[in-house]
Coordinates of all heavy atoms in Angstrom, one line a residue:
Chain F
R48 N 124.2 102.9 108.0 CA 122.9 103.6 108.1 C 123.0 104.9 108.9 O 122.1 105.8 108.8 CB 121.8 102.7 108.6 CG 121.5 101.6 107.6 CD 120.9 100.4 108.4 NE 119.7 100.8 109.1 CZ 118.5 100.8 108.5 NH1 118.3 100.5 107.2 NH2 117.4 101.2 109.2
N51 N 123.9 108.2 106.5 CA 122.8 109.0 105.9 C 121.6 109.2 106.8 O 120.5 109.5 106.3 CB 122.4 108.5 104.5 CG 121.7 107.1 104.6 OD1 121.7 106.5 105.7 ND2 121.1 106.7 103.5
L53 N 119.7 107.2 108.4 CA 118.6 106.3 108.5 C 118.5 105.8 109.9 O 117.4 105.4 110.4 CB 118.8 105.1 107.5 CG 118.4 105.3 106.1 CD1 118.5 104.0 105.3 CD2 117.0 106.0 105.9
I75 N 118.5 117.2 106.2 CA 119.0 115.9 105.8 C 118.7 115.5 104.4 O 119.5 114.8 103.7 CB 118.6 114.8 106.8 CG1 119.3 113.4 106.6 CG2 117.1 114.5 106.8 CD1 120.8 113.5 106.9
N76 N 117.5 116.0 104.0 CA 117.1 115.6 102.6 C 118.1 116.3 101.6 O 118.4 115.7 100.5 CB 115.7 116.1 102.3 CG 114.7 115.4 103.2 OD1 114.9 114.2 103.5 ND2 113.7 116.1 103.7
R79 N 121.1 114.1 101.6 CA 120.9 112.8 101.1 C 120.9 112.8 99.5 O 121.1 111.8 98.9 CB 119.5 112.2 101.6 CG 119.6 111.6 102.9 CD 118.2 111.2 103.4 NE 118.3 110.5 104.7 CZ 117.3 110.5 105.6 NH1 116.1 111.1 105.2 NH2 117.4 109.9 106.7
E80 N 120.7 114.0 98.9 CA 120.7 114.1 97.5 C 122.1 113.7 97.0 O 122.3 113.3 95.9 CB 120.4 115.5 97.0 CG 118.9 115.9 97.2 CD 118.7 117.3 96.8 OE1 119.6 118.1 96.5 OE2 117.4 117.7 96.8
I82 N 124.1 111.4 98.6 CA 124.4 110.1 99.1 C 123.5 109.1 98.6 O 122.3 109.0 99.0 CB 124.4 110.1 100.7 CG1 125.2 111.3 101.2 CG2 125.0 108.7 101.2 CD1 125.1 111.4 102.8
G83 N 124.0 108.2 97.7 CA 123.1 107.1 97.2 C 123.2 105.9 98.1 O 124.3 105.8 98.8
M84 N 122.1 105.1 98.2 CA 122.2 103.9 99.0 C 121.6 102.7 98.3 O 120.6 102.8 97.7 CB 121.5 104.1 100.4 CG 121.8 103.0 101.3 SD 121.3 103.4 103.0 CE 122.1 102.2 104.0
F86 N 120.5 98.7 99.0 CA 120.1 97.8 100.1 C 120.3 96.3 99.8 O 120.2 96.0 98.6 CB 118.7 98.1 100.5 CG 118.4 99.5 101.0 CD1 118.1 100.5 100.0 CD2 118.4 99.9 102.3 CE1 117.9 101.8 100.4 CE2 118.2 101.2 102.7 CZ 117.9 102.1 101.7
N90 N 114.7 96.8 97.7 CA 113.7 97.9 98.0 C 113.3 98.7 96.8 O 113.1 99.9 96.9 CB 114.3 98.8 99.1 CG 114.5 98.1 100.4 OD1 114.0 97.0 100.6 ND2 115.2 98.7 101.3
L91 N 113.2 98.0 95.7 CA 112.6 98.7 94.5 C 111.2 99.0 94.8 O 110.6 98.2 95.6 CB 112.8 97.9 93.2 CG 114.2 97.7 92.6 CD1 114.1 96.9 91.4 CD2 114.8 99.1 92.3
F92 N 110.6 100.0 94.2 CA 109.2 100.3 94.4 C 108.4 99.4 93.5 O 108.4 99.5 92.2 CB 108.9 101.8 94.1 CG 109.8 102.7 94.9 CD1 110.5 103.7 94.3 CD2 110.0 102.5 96.3 CE1 111.3 104.6 95.0 CE2 110.9 103.3 97.0 CZ 111.5 104.4 96.4
P93 N 107.6 98.5 94.0 CA 107.0 97.4 93.2 C 105.9 98.0 92.3 O 105.5 97.3 91.3 CB 106.4 96.4 94.2 CG 106.2 97.2 95.5 CD 107.3 98.3 95.5
H94 N 105.3 99.2 92.6 CA 104.2 99.7 91.8 C 104.7 100.5 90.7 O 103.9 101.1 89.9 CB 103.3 100.5 92.7 CG 104.0 101.7 93.4 ND1 105.0 101.5 94.3 CD2 103.7 103.0 93.4 CE1 105.4 102.7 94.7 NE2 104.6 103.6 94.2
N100 N 111.0 103.9 88.6 CA 111.8 103.8 89.9 C 112.9 104.8 89.9 O 113.2 105.4 90.9 CB 112.3 102.4 90.1 CG 111.5 101.5 91.0 OD1 111.6 101.6 92.2 ND2 110.6 100.7 90.4
L103 N 111.7 108.7 89.8 CA 110.9 109.2 90.9 C 111.7 110.3 91.6 O 111.1 111.5 91.7 CB 110.5 108.1 91.9 CG 109.8 108.5 93.1 CD1 108.4 109.0 92.7 CD2 109.7 107.4 94.1
A104 N 112.8 110.0 92.2 CA 113.5 111.0 93.0 C 113.9 112.3 92.3 O 113.6 113.4 92.7 CB 114.7 110.4 93.7
D107 N 110.7 114.3 91.5 CA 110.1 114.7 92.8 C 110.9 115.8 93.5 O 110.3 116.7 94.1 CB 109.8 113.6 93.7 CG 108.7 113.8 94.6 OD1 107.5 113.7 94.2 OD2 108.9 114.2 95.8
R108 N 112.2 115.7 93.4 CA 113.1 116.7 94.1 C 113.4 117.9 93.2 O 114.2 118.7 93.5 CB 114.4 116.0 94.6 CG 114.1 115.0 95.6 CD 113.7 115.6 96.9 NE 114.8 116.2 97.6 CZ 114.6 117.0 98.7 NH1 113.4 117.3 99.1 NH2 115.7 117.6 99.2
Y136 N 108.3 95.8 85.4 CA 108.0 95.9 86.8 C 109.1 95.1 87.6 O 109.5 94.1 87.1 CB 106.6 95.5 87.2 CG 105.6 96.6 86.8 CD1 105.0 96.6 85.6 CD2 105.2 97.6 87.8 CE1 104.1 97.6 85.2 CE2 104.3 98.5 87.4 CZ 103.7 98.5 86.2 OH 102.8 99.5 85.8
H138 N 108.9 92.9 89.8 CA 108.7 91.4 90.0 C 109.0 90.6 88.7 O 109.1 89.4 88.7 CB 107.2 91.2 90.4 CG 106.2 91.3 89.3 ND1 105.7 90.2 88.6 CD2 105.7 92.4 88.7 CE1 104.9 90.7 87.6 NE2 104.8 92.0 87.7
Q139 N 109.2 91.3 87.6 CA 109.6 90.7 86.3 C 111.1 90.5 86.2 O 111.5 90.0 85.2 CB 109.0 91.4 85.2 CG 107.4 91.5 85.2 CD 106.9 92.5 84.2 OE1 107.3 93.6 84.1 NE2 105.8 92.1 83.5
R152 N 119.0 103.5 90.2 CA 118.1 104.5 90.9 C 118.9 105.4 91.8 O 118.6 106.6 91.9 CB 117.0 103.7 91.6 CG 116.1 104.5 92.4 CD 115.0 103.7 93.1 NE 115.5 102.9 94.2 CZ 114.8 102.2 95.0 NH1 113.5 102.1 94.8 NH2 115.3 101.5 96.0
A153 N 119.8 104.8 92.5 CA 120.6 105.6 93.5 C 121.5 106.6 92.7 O 121.8 107.7 93.2 CB 121.4 104.7 94.4
M156 N 120.3 110.5 91.2 CA 120.4 111.8 91.8 C 121.9 112.4 91.7 O 122.2 113.4 92.3 CB 120.0 111.7 93.3 CG 118.6 111.4 93.6 SD 117.5 112.8 93.0 CE 117.7 113.9 94.3
Chain J
D122 N 106.4 97.3 103.4 CA 107.7 97.0 103.9 C 108.4 98.3 104.3 O 108.4 99.3 103.6 CB 108.5 96.2 102.9 CG 109.8 95.7 103.4 OD1 109.7 94.7 104.2 OD2 110.8 96.3 103.1
K123 N 109.1 98.2 105.5 CA 109.8 99.4 106.0 C 110.9 99.7 105.0 O 111.3 100.9 105.0 CB 110.4 99.0 107.4 CG 110.7 100.1 108.3 CD 110.8 99.6 109.7 CE 112.2 99.3 110.2 NZ 113.3 98.8 109.8
G124 N 111.5 98.8 104.3 CA 112.5 99.1 103.3 C 112.1 100.1 102.3 O 112.9 100.8 101.7
Q125 N 110.8 100.1 102.0 CA 110.3 101.0 101.0 C 110.5 102.5 101.4 O 110.9 103.3 100.7 CB 108.8 100.8 100.7 CG 108.5 99.4 100.1 CD 109.0 99.4 98.6 OE1 108.6 100.3 97.9 NE2 109.8 98.4 98.3
T126 N 110.1 102.7 102.7 CA 110.3 104.0 103.3 C 111.8 104.4 103.3 O 112.2 105.5 102.9 CB 109.7 104.1 104.7 OG1 108.4 103.7 104.6 CG2 109.8 105.5 105.3
E127 N 112.6 103.5 103.7 CA 114.0 103.7 103.8 C 114.6 104.0 102.4 O 115.4 105.0 102.3 CB 114.7 102.5 104.4 CG 114.4 102.4 105.9 CD 115.2 101.2 106.5 OE1 115.8 100.4 105.8 OE2 115.1 101.1 107.8
A128 N 114.2 103.3 101.4 CA 114.7 103.5 100.1 C 114.3 104.9 99.6 O 115.2 105.7 99.1 CB 114.2 102.5 99.1
A129 N 113.1 105.3 99.8 CA 112.6 106.6 99.4 C 113.3 107.7 100.2 O 113.7 108.7 99.6 CB 111.1 106.7 99.6
R130 N 113.5 107.5 101.5 CA 114.2 108.6 102.3 C 115.6 108.7 101.9 O 116.2 109.8 101.8 CB 114.1 108.3 103.8 CG 112.7 108.3 104.4 CD 111.8 109.5 104.1 NE 112.5 110.8 104.5 CZ 112.5 111.3 105.6 NH1 111.8 110.8 106.6 NH2 113.2 112.5 105.9
S131 N 116.2 107.5 101.6 CA 117.7 107.6 101.2 C 117.8 108.3 99.8 O 118.9 108.8 99.5 CB 118.2 106.2 101.1 OG 117.9 105.5 99.9
L132 N 116.7 108.3 99.0 CA 116.8 109.0 97.8 C 116.4 110.5 98.0 O 116.1 111.2 97.0 CB 115.8 108.4 96.8 CG 116.2 107.1 96.2 CD1 115.0 106.3 95.6 CD2 117.3 107.3 95.2
S133 N 116.4 110.9 99.2 CA 116.2 112.3 99.6 C 114.8 112.8 99.6 O 114.5 114.0 99.7 CB 117.1 113.3 98.8 OG 116.5 113.5 97.5
L134 N 113.8 111.9 99.4 CA 112.4 112.3 99.5 C 112.0 112.6 101.0 O 112.3 111.8 101.8 CB 111.5 111.2 99.0 CG 111.0 111.3 97.5 CD1 112.2 111.3 96.6 CD2 110.0 110.3 97.2
P135 N 111.4 113.7 101.2 CA 110.9 114.0 102.6 C 109.8 113.0 103.0 O 109.3 112.3 102.2 CB 110.3 115.4 102.5 CG 110.8 116.0 101.2 CD 111.0 114.8 100.3
Q136 N 109.5 113.0 104.3 CA 108.6 112.1 104.8 C 107.2 112.2 104.1 O 106.7 111.1 103.7 CB 108.3 112.5 106.3 CG 107.4 111.5 107.1 CD 108.0 110.2 107.2 OE1 109.1 110.0 107.6 NE2 107.2 109.2 106.8
R138 N 106.4 113.3 101.1 CA 106.5 112.8 99.7 C 106.6 111.3 99.6 O 106.1 110.6 98.8 CB 107.6 113.4 98.9 CG 107.6 115.0 98.9 CD 106.3 115.4 98.2 NE 106.2 115.0 96.8 CZ 105.1 115.2 96.1 NH1 104.1 115.7 96.6 NH2 105.1 114.8 94.8
R142 N 104.1 109.2 97.5 CA 104.5 108.6 96.2 C 104.9 107.1 96.4 O 104.8 106.4 95.4 CB 105.8 109.3 95.7 CG 105.6 110.8 95.4 CD 104.5 111.0 94.3 NE 104.8 110.4 93.1 CZ 105.6 110.8 92.1 NH1 106.2 112.0 92.3 NH2 105.8 110.1 91.1
V143 N 105.2 106.7 97.6 CA 105.7 105.3 97.7 C 104.8 104.5 98.6 O 104.4 103.4 98.2 CB 107.2 105.3 98.2 CG1 107.7 103.9 98.5 CG2 108.1 106.0 97.2
V144 N 104.5 105.0 99.8 CA 103.8 104.1 100.8 C 102.3 104.0 100.4 O 101.8 102.9 100.3 CB 104.0 104.6 102.2 CG1 103.2 103.8 103.2 CG2 105.5 104.6 102.6
P146 N 100.4 104.5 97.7 CA 100.0 103.7 96.5 C 100.0 102.2 96.8 O 99.1 101.4 96.4 CB 101.0 104.0 95.4 CG 101.6 105.4 95.8 CD 101.5 105.4 97.3
Q147 N 101.0 101.8 97.6 CA 101.1 100.4 97.9 C 100.1 100.0 99.0 O 99.5 98.9 99.0 CB 102.6 100.0 98.4 CG 103.6 100.2 97.3 CD 105.0 99.8 97.7 OE1 105.2 98.7 98.2 NE2 105.9 100.8 97.7
N222 N 96.7 95.3 90.2 CA 97.6 94.2 90.6 C 98.9 94.2 89.8 O 99.2 93.4 89.0 CB 96.9 92.8 90.3 CG 97.1 91.9 91.4 OD1 98.0 92.0 92.2 ND2 96.3 90.9 91.5
Y223 N 99.8 95.2 90.2 CA 101.0 95.3 89.4 C 102.0 94.2 89.6 O 102.9 94.0 88.8 CB 101.7 96.6 89.9 CG 101.7 96.9 91.3 CD1 102.6 96.2 92.2 CD2 100.8 97.8 91.9 CE1 102.6 96.4 93.5 CE2 100.9 98.1 93.3 CZ 101.7 97.4 94.1 OH 101.7 97.6 95.4
D224 N 101.7 93.4 90.7 CA 102.6 92.2 90.9 C 102.4 91.1 89.8 O 103.2 90.3 89.6 CB 102.4 91.6 92.3 CG 103.1 92.4 93.3 OD1 103.9 93.3 92.9 OD2 102.8 92.2 94.5
K225 N 101.2 91.1 89.2 CA 100.9 90.0 88.3 C 100.7 90.6 86.9 O 100.6 89.8 85.9 CB 99.7 89.3 88.7 CG 99.9 88.6 90.0 CD 98.7 87.7 90.4 CE 98.9 87.1 91.8 NZ 98.2 87.9 92.8
K226 N 100.8 91.9 86.7 CA 100.6 92.5 85.4 C 101.8 92.2 84.5 O 102.9 92.2 84.9 CB 100.4 94.0 85.5 CG 99.8 94.7 84.3 CD 99.2 96.0 84.7 CE 100.0 96.9 85.6 NZ 99.3 98.0 86.0
N227 N 101.5 92.0 83.2 CA 102.7 91.7 82.3 C 102.9 92.8 81.4 O 102.1 93.6 81.1 CB 102.4 90.4 81.6 CG 102.7 89.2 82.4 OD1 103.8 89.1 83.0 ND2 101.8 88.3 82.5

Side-chain angles (χ1 to χ4, degrees):
Chain F
R48 293 157 57 86
N51 66 350
L53 281 186
I75 190 65
N76 297 322
R79 279 175 179 155
E80 290 178 356
I82 310 174
M84 187 166 197
F86 300 85
N90 298 344
L91 288 181
F92 307 131
H94 60 301
N100 260 278
L103 178 68
D107 205 77
R108 296 291 285 167
Y136 282 85
H138 75 98
Q139 297 167 315
R152 179 177 70 176
M156 291 298 281
Chain J
D122 187 76
K123 205 164 88 336
Q125 294 289 308
T126 303
E127 290 183 348
R130 296 307 308 271
S131 81
L132 286 164
S133 77
L134 263 63
Q136 183 67 49
R138 302 299 299 171
R142 302 297 305 274
V143 174
V144 178
Q147 295 180 58
N222 221 342
Y223 44 77
D224 281 351
K225 295 185 189 95
K226 196 157 47 185
N227 279 311

